[in-house]
């Protein structure tokens, strides 16, 4: 299964913020800094950060002393639940598209792919964001930066 870019970016943003919390860094990164460190367009990062904030997984403050911070809910969030939110309920294949599949009325593939997709999500359910940044990942994440050292 292939994740959408927004799903991948959401996971990486949460992981970066969780690693920052683990290291007990006092300065908060901004969306622009996170986007630069991850080498993604600021507009994509801003959209993902807004969705994560809406879900209550991170807090964002503007102005001096502002930046991004992981919430407790974000730290304990299930990776499977997060992937489900960002990936949506869509089928793995589009059987109803512009030219509907002629096998649609009697197809068994669609159901098999749906079950495989759910198994993928289910395998991620017990994994939390905090789990993802345990040694050695957290320190490595913090080493990826565009900030002056």
């Amino acid at each position: 299964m292939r994740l959408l870019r927004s799903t991948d970016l959401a996971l990486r943003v949460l992981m970066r913020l969780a690693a920052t919390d683990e290291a007990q860094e006092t300065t908060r990164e901004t969306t622009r800094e996170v986007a630069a460190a991850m080498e993604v367009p600021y507009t994509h990062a801003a959209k993902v950060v807004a969705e994560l904030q809406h879900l209550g997984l991170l807090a964002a403050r503007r102005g001096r002393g502002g930046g991004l911070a992981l919430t407790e809910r974000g730290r304990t969030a299930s990776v499977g639940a997060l992937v489900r939110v960002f990936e949506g309920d869509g089928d793995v294949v589009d059987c109803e598209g512009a030219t509907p599949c002629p096998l649609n009325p009697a197809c068994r593939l669609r159901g098999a792919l749906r079950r495989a997709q759910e198994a993928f999500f289910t395998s991620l359910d017990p994994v939390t964001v905090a789990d993802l940044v345990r040694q050695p990942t957290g320190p490595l994440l913090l080493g990826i930066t565009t900030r002056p050292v």
Side-chain angles (χ1 to χ4, degrees), residues 95-96 101-112:
C95 302
E96 310 290 333
C101 177
L103 298 176
N104 207 12
C107 183
R108 292 182 179 196
L109 177 62
R110 187 178 192 178

Side-chain angles (χ1 to χ4, degrees), residues 40-128:
V40 298
Y42 168 75
T43 54
H44 293 188
K47 189 182 291 187
V48 167
V49 163
E51 181 63 21
L52 292 171
Q53 186 177 11
H54 175 74
L55 294 170
L57 303 176
L58 65 80
R61 286 193 345 211
R62 292 180 177 221
R64 190 176 185 98
L68 304 175
L70 193 64
T71 64
E72 185 57 34
R73 184 174 178 188
R75 188 175 291 96
T76 61
S78 161
V79 173
L82 183 65
V83 171
R84 277 184 187 88
V85 167
F86 275 85
E87 293 293 313
D89 291 338
D91 285 323
V92 176
V93 293
D94 184 13
C95 302
E96 310 290 333
T99 53
C101 177
L103 298 176
N104 207 12
C107 183
R108 292 182 179 196
L109 177 62
R110 187 178 192 178
L113 290 173
R114 179 53 121 172
R115 287 188 299 278
Q117 180 183 34
E118 186 52 37
F120 173 74
F121 294 148
T122 300
S123 70
L124 294 173
D125 282 341
V127 180
T128 67

Side-chain angles (χ1 to χ4, degrees), residues 16 24 39 61 105 146:
R16 183 156 180 104
Q24 298 177 346
E39 298 180 0
R61 286 193 345 211
T146 58

